[in-house]
Amino acid sequence: DTAVSQTPKYLVTQMGNDKSIKCEQNLGHDTMYWYKQDSKKFLKIMFSYNNKELIINETVPNRFSPKSPDKAHLNLHINSLELGDSAVYFCASSQGQGPAYGYTFGSGTRLTVV
Amino acid sequence: ILNVEQSPQSLHVQEGDSTNFTCSFPSSNFYALHWYRWETAKSPEALFVMTLNGDEKKKGRISATLNTKEGYSYLYIKGSQPEDSATYLCASEGSSNTGKLIFGQGTTLQVKP
């Protein structure tokens, strides 16, 4: 029974399209995150939500919009996809917000924009 | 140090060797240091979260130490096994109380049988 599940695992789409990546966690965690693995393999935070409230919104293009219908779900919607959006996107959750709560990661979504 | 830096970037050892790698992080506004293990085609898995200067944590053959004053942490693997082959990530968590982690690039360990 997967703790943090992302769908789809792979996504190939054309420039200009709008796409969504879904994330669900069944751990009862309060906080969920989206991270992007950049071209140098670093994981960089994009957004976090705590109990459906936006907490972190890094300097991400506003074509990226997170949506959290409830605390178990955090979806990522991307408008007008560009070639540079190609990356692996990871969802994660943690028990609380703030120090010392380890993350549980999803398996990642590899987005390829052609 | 402004970023989280890990060294070495990659490491090849023989089965049975003990090894260690380093994570350097900003010592100001520090709250916690995380270590994750990331196997190929899987998701990162939490190993340790440490908060106190001098903290030492252990899980089986893997242990980690923390020096918050000078901003570094060591991860040790005793008697490496092929199944230890993975990328080991460290991440620093600041005191902003948001759970935001700044990740290093990772150390990729390959253990040869």
Side-chain angles (χ1 to χ4, degrees):
Chain A
D1 199 20
T2 308
V4 178
S5 59
Q6 293 179 230
T7 53
K9 197 170 171 71
Y10 300 96
L11 182 54
V12 181
T13 188
Q14 289 190 319
M15 264 181 15
N17 283 350
D18 303 339
K19 289 292 178 187
S20 292
I21 307 172
K22 295 187 176 180
C23 181
E24 176 181 2
Q25 53 97 2
N26 62 6
L27 298 166
H29 286 172
D30 292 328
T31 310
M32 295 184 72
Y33 310 84
W34 277 109
Y35 274 77
K36 178 181 179 181
Q37 187 180 20
D38 68 15
S39 55
K40 294 185 179 178
K41 306 291 186 187
F42 281 96
L43 285 170
K44 298 217 168 146
I45 192 159
M46 300 172 71
F47 304 102
S48 80
Y49 269 73
N50 181 268
N51 273 320
K52 301 194 295 175
E53 182 187 348
L54 180 66
I55 302 298
I56 296 173
N57 185 349
E58 290 290 292
T59 48
V60 175
N62 57 16
R63 298 181 294 102
F64 289 77
S65 54
K67 291 208 171 28
S68 182
D70 55 59
K71 77 171 196 177
H73 295 84
L74 180 62
N75 304 322
L76 184 66
H77 189 75
I78 316 169
N79 287 329
S80 304
L81 278 154
E82 300 177 358
L83 292 176
D85 297 332
S86 296
V88 184
Y89 293 85
F90 286 91
C91 176
S93 71
S94 65
Q95 189 175 352
Q97 176 190 324
Y101 290 104
Y103 285 16
T104 301
F105 279 89
S107 55
T109 295
R110 182 175 292 276
L111 171 65
T112 304
V113 183
V114 297
Chain B
I1 296 173
L2 298 177
N3 296 317
V4 176
E5 296 169 2
Q6 292 187 245
S7 62
Q9 206 163 12
S10 64
L11 195 53
H12 290 75
V13 301
Q14 286 295 134
E15 182 176 353
D17 287 351
S18 293
T19 187
N20 64 84
F21 4 105
T22 307
C23 172
S24 301
F25 56 88
S27 53
S28 59
N29 295 319
F30 170 83
Y31 232 31
L33 193 283
H34 297 231
W35 280 101
Y36 290 84
R37 181 169 178 273
W38 194 357
E39 287 182 75
T40 305
K42 294 188 179 179
S43 35
E45 176 192 342
L47 284 173
F48 308 112
V49 181
M50 297 183 288
T51 56
L52 299 175
N53 186 44
D55 231 357
E56 183 168 343
K57 297 217 170 176
K58 192 174 177 184
K59 188 184 273 192
R61 294 178 291 99
I62 305 177
S63 60
T65 60
L66 179 66
N67 182 322
T68 61
K69 292 184 195 257
E70 294 179 45
Y72 65 83
S73 175
Y74 293 131
L75 188 81
Y76 300 91
I77 302 178
K78 189 176 173 183
S80 304
Q81 299 297 308
E83 58 265 30
D84 295 328
S85 298
T87 296
Y88 292 84
L89 294 173
C90 75
S92 173
E93 184 173 2
S95 54
S96 59
N97 204 36
T98 62
K100 174 180 173 180
L101 297 186
I102 308 293
F103 280 88
Q105 197 171 6
T107 292
T108 298
L109 174 68
Q110 190 73 33
V111 182
K112 298 174 193 173

